[in-house]
Amino acid sequence: MTGGQPRGGPAVYLVAAVAGCFVGLVGGSFRWCLVWAEESRGSLLGAAERLGGPGWLVPVALTAVGAAVACAIALRVPLAAGSGIQDVEAVWRGEREPRPLWLLPAKFAGGLIAMGSGLLLGREGPTVHMGAAIGAEAGRRTRASPQDVTLLHTSLAGAGLAVAFTAPLGGVVFVCEEVTKRVRPRLVLLTLIGTATAVGCSQLVVGDRPVFQVPDTAAPPLVLLPVFLLFGVVTGALGAGYNRLVLGSLAFCDRVTRVGPVARAAVIGAVVGLLLGIDPLLAGGGDRLSGQLLAGDVPVVTVLAGYLVVRFLAGPLSYAAGTPGGLFAPLLALGALWGALVHGLALPLLPHDGSGAASFAIVGMAALFTAAVRAPVTGIVLVVEMTGATSLLVPLLTACFAATLTADRMGSAPVYDSLRLRMPGRP
């Protein structure tokens, strides 16, 4: 495909609405299971700590086994490993066919095991991929045209993102800005209806509260806009470095041919499990860490720097394990850490009525996402919907502009473009 305006009747909108309900229930269940898995992991870590002595082996074994099992599941289903967003983009470009429905159990179970065991991965990748597979299957079952099957595949991918973050507008913008890089009325309408029903049904499972409960944040004074501009520039360089580390980790693992993929995933899991035993905030998707920072529970600068360095390295390492899991959520947590760290370092230079650490953390989330993915509007909309921080729109726009321009000038390709070029069997 692509991108041409297909012909089809209004029935396809009904198909999108019904498929959106399934995406909402599947995605909402996935989120609920991840919360349960994180709580169970916390209880297990607490019991291991009380053991003393050999208790440190528990998180190491937990994450090693989880990574190995998740990798084994992904190996059974082609292209189930990783985020899946690059596969959605490849389908839109006509480079491959939509995934069959068999993708769902692999993404659901593999993602739940990988993330539940503590790997630094995001729920949005599997949810987007599952949503796309549901949309394509709905089109095939109703005998839609190949063009409409592709449209349903793409639009329900956006519904999956919306469910992952309770961000309906973010799902629509994601489809237009990141996946298709164009605005077509038919595609937008399908995405709107699919996203609306998906988010509505997911709220039956996970509720309707924003992902993060953030206190009201005042609009920063205009004198700080140059600060946010400079902040965006440095964040753009950080995002370019993160992308290179993701691709470098994947390339390194490809060269390690003497160790099978499952054993390699177990080794990576053991390393992450060791981090998990040291401090649970060093591992996992990062929602808990981001929530603490946005609520004002900010550690001292040295601790923030330690978290930032460890998660900057451990995120790409986790992605190289070859399990189902995305990049968005760890990126957002890393951006929150980066923003809070910059605020802590610059605090003596900021005006007394300047923005707090939460404001810098929110801007950092969007700016780092933008630098890596190169989708500034999607990043801003997602972060605003997740935090409700509409007062920060001007700093967000300023920092994301600077981050995008800097990453482009550094020759860093958008991460999903680079990952799509790595896909096996690409024409």
Side-chain angles (χ1 to χ4, degrees), residues 206-404:
V206 297
D208 59 355
R209 295 194 308 172
V211 175
F212 300 118
Q213 303 298 311
V214 182
D216 291 337
T217 53
L222 290 178
V223 71
L224 281 183
L225 285 186
V227 174
F228 284 109
L229 184 68
L230 180 60
F231 176 59
V233 170
V234 182
T235 306
L238 188 70
Y242 191 82
N243 284 3
R244 288 169 184 164
L245 193 55
V246 168
L247 297 173
S249 298
L250 291 169
F252 175 78
C253 287
D254 289 344
R255 292 194 296 269
V256 183
T257 56
R258 293 186 179 182
V259 181
V262 174
R264 188 171 61 220
V267 172
I268 292 173
V271 173
V272 176
L274 187 59
L275 298 175
L276 191 65
I278 295 171
D279 187 340
L281 294 180
L282 292 173
D287 274 6
R288 181 182 163 197
L289 176 59
S290 299
Q292 288 185 11
L293 294 174
L294 297 179
D297 184 8
V298 182
V300 296
V301 166
T302 52
V303 174
L304 286 172
Y307 283 154
L308 180 71
V309 171
V310 171
R311 292 189 66 93
F312 190 88
L313 298 174
L317 182 65
S318 295
Y319 193 79
T323 69
L327 292 169
F328 280 18
L331 262 177
L332 294 174
L334 197 65
L337 273 172
W338 169 240
L341 176 61
V342 169
H343 175 268
L345 293 172
L347 188 58
L349 305 176
L350 296 176
H352 294 298
D353 59 344
S355 294
S359 297
F360 274 80
I362 291 170
V363 175
M365 291 167 72
L368 188 60
F369 173 93
T370 294
V373 181
R374 219 62 48 77
V377 181
T378 301
I380 292 170
V381 173
L382 274 178
V383 168
V384 168
E385 286 190 291
M386 293 170 71
T387 63
T390 55
S391 60
L392 297 177
L393 279 174
V394 174
L396 284 166
L397 289 166
T398 303
C400 288
F401 157 77
T404 302

Side-chain angles (χ1 to χ4, degrees), residues 43-278:
S43 300
L44 184 61
L45 291 176
E49 187 177 355
R50 289 191 294 272
L51 285 176
W56 68 271
L57 292 172
V58 174
V60 173
L62 169 70
T63 315
V65 172
V69 172
C71 179
I73 291 173
L75 288 173
R76 304 281 294 180
V77 179
L79 298 176
S83 169
I85 291 175
Q86 64 270 31
D87 184 50
V88 174
E89 295 181 2
V91 170
W92 173 259
R93 295 166 67 97
E95 296 175 354
R96 53 182 70 244
E97 295 298 316
R99 300 296 103 200
L101 207 58
W102 277 110
L103 180 75
L104 259 70
K107 278 288 187 180
F108 195 109
L112 176 60
I113 294 170
M115 285 174 263
S117 64
L119 290 179
L120 285 78
L121 298 169
R123 63 184 176 272
E124 77 294 326
T127 312
V128 166
H129 217 182
M130 289 190 291
I134 291 171
E137 185 67 17
R140 288 190 289 257
R141 292 294 181 94
T142 55
R143 299 182 181 180
S145 67
Q147 294 89 347
D148 278 349
V149 170
T150 301
L151 282 178
L152 288 166
H153 178 271
T154 305
S155 59
L156 271 297
L161 184 74
V163 168
F165 293 128
T166 315
L169 287 178
V172 177
V173 176
F174 165 76
V175 166
C176 297
E177 184 182 33
E178 171 58 24
V179 178
T180 68
K181 295 178 172 58
R182 65 191 70 194
V183 178
R184 293 293 178 90
R186 186 175 176 82
L187 175 65
V188 171
L189 288 175
L190 285 171
T191 308
L192 283 172
I193 186 64
T195 296
T197 57
V199 173
C201 288
S202 72
Q203 289 175 348
L204 299 175
V205 183
V206 297
D208 59 355
R209 295 194 308 172
V211 175
F212 300 118
Q213 303 298 311
V214 182
D216 291 337
T217 53
L222 290 178
V223 71
L224 281 183
L225 285 186
V227 174
F228 284 109
L229 184 68
L230 180 60
F231 176 59
V233 170
V234 182
T235 306
L238 188 70
Y242 191 82
N243 284 3
R244 288 169 184 164
L245 193 55
V246 168
L247 297 173
S249 298
L250 291 169
F252 175 78
C253 287
D254 289 344
R255 292 194 296 269
V256 183
T257 56
R258 293 186 179 182
V259 181
V262 174
R264 188 171 61 220
V267 172
I268 292 173
V271 173
V272 176
L274 187 59
L275 298 175
L276 191 65
I278 295 171

